[in-house]
Amino acid sequence: MKISVLNNRHVLIGVTGSIAAYKAADLASKLAQAGTQVDVIMTDAARQFIAPLTFQSLISGSVFTDSDLWGRKAHILHVDLAHHAELLVIAPATANTIAHIANGLADSLLSMTALAARCPVIIAPAMDAGMFENPATQANLRTLEQRGIIVIGPAEGRLASGLSGAGRMMEPKQILSHIRRVLGEAGALAGCNVVVTAGGTQETIDPVRMITNRSSGKQGFALAQAALDRGATVTLIAAPTGLPTPVGARRIDVRTAAEMTKAVLSAREKADALLMAAAVADFTPAKSTDQKIRKSGEGMHLELLPTQDILSLVAEGRQKDGWPKVVVGFAAESQDLIENAKKKLKKKHLSMIVANDITATDAGFEVDSNRVTLIQASGNVQALPLIPKMAVAEAVLDQVENLLKGKG
Ligand code: CTP
């Protein structure tokens, strides 16, 4: 799908001679699918690992190699490429290319372009662990960072040599998250604090048992990413989930409804917007034990107490000091969707509620798509079709942006 922060942006990918070059093809493909105009520069060494045609088949832009250095327009090619790009991403970046750029050498189209670039530059190193740890490489990377170049990775793991260590290129997904951060920095929500809650809280019965709500956290994490895409400062209060933190978000991990309450209340006062996507447990065991409860062959009674309604506490604070300016709640309903969601909107003093019908099998829990209706306190109702959770997040953030600007 097209992703707003990437759509119609211009990214130049530099590919150098590493076995990770094939992963650069995945990165180029992901960017192209998101709507980005991608051009690629390959070094001669990169061409030993992957063909220019691979990239050309994936992108609508052009693939340049050192043979273009001596073409008709060669004298301006590197300047042109450097000036048109909004971002230069060198992935994978070998120790050799890193050394060239750190020392201002310009002996290939890629190193010339890097030297001429005025846009932000991201470098994703990939090399043998020994080469990475070598003081020369470390010094070169520090030099690049001091000059404002963003160095991401490398990750630890199995290397091409068969050994393990730091030297694996960051995965394309992670590089993409960094690209979004850079391209979104000056977005419409720059300077705004957005707090997002995600996932299902867990209430302890004993060390192996718990009560929780069904929630993968995917919608909440997509909201955090969408807010970051617009330049917001994002605090992500997450109940247990295996999802990776979107690059740039400050993540606070919590487990229980009580822990989430504490985290939300402390983040509330500085928040321009609170997006309460978490599925908070409504009940917690009256007592939990440190030891595992043994089965006796009989049934057992579990006494449950209500948890605190976090949004009600937020509303109390908001009445006193006006923060957060915008509060968005979520309503998971199995019947009378709109009617019940409207009741919650009113009862919890929300700016907007995102209502979803949890009986639909193609949307909601665990899957990547959702079908929701956005209902605003002003009475405005917007029913969205079945779309990816990221698209839902963008639609929610469009409304949050309007509400913050007083246009809602
Ligand atoms: N919520 C909350 N604190 C709770 C429970 C829910 O702040 N203890 C928030 C959720 O994060 C969501 C909204 O309230 O944004 C609605 O949650 P939902 O579970 O749909 O509704 P409930 O308030 O639990 O009401 P009911 O169980 O009657 O549907």
Side-chain angles (χ1 to χ4, degrees):
M1 70 172 261
K2 299 270 185 281
I3 296 173
S4 305
V5 70
L6 299 172
N7 194 20
N8 291 323
R9 307 299 291 270
H10 195 164
V11 172
L12 188 56
I13 301 180
V15 185
T16 72
S18 151
I19 181 59
Y22 77 92
K23 290 190 188 170
D26 186 25
L27 177 65
S29 166
K30 282 187 163 62
L31 282 168
Q33 285 173 47
T36 311
Q37 310 279 318
V38 182
D39 287 319
V40 174
I41 302 177
M42 299 178 74
T43 62
D44 280 345
R47 294 176 61 186
Q48 301 292 321
F49 289 92
I50 188 166
L53 185 61
T54 309
F55 289 101
Q56 198 57 78
S57 312
L58 296 167
I59 60 171
S60 56
S62 306
V63 182
F64 299 96
T65 63
D66 279 352
S67 57
D68 296 301
L69 263 178
W70 312 111
R72 210 159 38 90
K73 292 186 181 162
H75 59 295
I76 51 153
L77 182 59
H78 59 288
V79 178
D80 240 32
L81 286 170
H83 287 193
H84 270 100
E86 290 175 84
L87 175 66
L88 169 61
V89 184
I90 305 181
T94 56
N96 183 48
T97 296
I98 288 167
H100 274 67
I101 297 173
N103 289 288
L105 298 178
D107 59 353
S108 69
L109 182 58
L110 180 57
S111 54
M112 279 180 187
T113 307
L115 202 58
R118 296 288 168 269
C119 61
V121 179
I122 291 178
I123 282 189
M127 65 195 74
D128 160 69
M131 292 169 84
F132 175 66
E133 282 159 18
N134 189 291
T137 306
Q138 288 298 315
N140 287 333
L141 287 170
R142 268 197 302 279
T143 300
L144 295 182
E145 280 178 327
Q146 277 159 11
R147 292 181 192 147
I149 289 179
I150 301 160
V151 177
I152 54 172
E156 301 242 347
R158 189 186 174 279
L159 303 171
S161 59
L163 301 173
S164 275
R168 281 176 71 88
M169 187 179 85
M170 277 277 167
E171 290 304 316
K173 254 190 178 166
Q174 293 166 300
I175 300 175
L176 200 69
S177 201
H178 282 274
I179 292 174
R180 290 170 83 145
R181 185 71 188 136
V182 173
L183 293 179
E185 224 155 31
L189 292 183
C192 290
N193 285 317
V194 175
V195 176
V196 181
T197 68
T201 61
Q202 300 179 347
E203 310 300 318
T204 306
I205 298 171
D206 72 12
V208 294
R209 302 182 181 96
M210 63 185 178
I211 297 176
T212 188
N213 279 15
R214 272 182 81 187
S215 168
S216 62
K218 284 182 179 174
Q219 187 61 75
F221 275 59
L223 286 162
Q225 181 66 69
L228 287 162
D229 285 352
R230 291 165 199 239
T233 303
V234 174
T235 304
L236 175 57
I237 301 172
T241 149
L243 298 173
T245 312
V247 170
R250 183 171 75 101
R251 176 167 174 168
I252 300 172
D253 285 311
V254 296
R255 212 163 82 77
T256 61
E259 285 172 20
M260 184 166 279
T261 306
K262 218 167 132 196
V264 170
L265 292 184
S266 99
R268 174 193 76 82
E269 289 169 43
K270 285 166 260 142
D272 292 285
L274 168 65
L275 315 181
M276 195 72 197
V280 187
D282 289 320
F283 307 99
T284 190
K287 53 178 199 285
S288 62
T289 63
D290 292 343
Q291 301 297 327
K292 187 179 169 191
I293 301 170
R294 298 279 156 203
K295 63 174 183 280
S296 62
E298 315 242 312
M300 72 172 275
H301 289 283
L302 194 59
E303 192 191 344
L304 300 176
L305 298 175
T307 57
Q308 185 63 57
D309 190 277
I310 304 175
L311 281 176
S312 305
L313 287 181
V314 168
E316 275 173 31
R318 191 170 174 223
Q319 251 155 13
K320 285 187 205 132
D321 58 23
W323 296 92
K325 291 181 203 150
V326 170
V327 180
V328 179
F330 286 71
E333 303 295 340
S334 55
Q335 57 188 4
D336 303 326
L337 179 69
I338 305 298
E339 201 182 310
N340 281 331
K342 279 185 173 167
K343 276 189 203 150
K344 276 182 198 169
L345 174 87
K346 238 187 171 150
K347 192 169 136 213
K348 302 196 182 207
H349 305 277
L350 305 172
S351 322
M352 181 169 90
I353 195 153
V354 181
N356 72 326
D357 177 358
I358 52 171
T359 60
T361 51
D362 54 354
F365 299 130
E366 283 107 35
V367 294
D368 286 321
S369 48
N370 218 349
R371 187 188 293 107
V372 303
T373 302
L374 309 185
I375 307 169
Q376 306 220 8
S378 62
N380 210 343
V381 176
Q382 184 189 3
L384 300 173
L386 181 68
I387 48 177
K389 285 185 174 167
M390 196 59 229
V392 169
E394 293 209 8
V396 171
L397 263 296
D398 280 344
Q399 297 309 325
V400 168
E401 210 181 296
N402 287 337
L403 289 164
L404 282 172
K405 288 182 188 151
K407 288 193 230 152

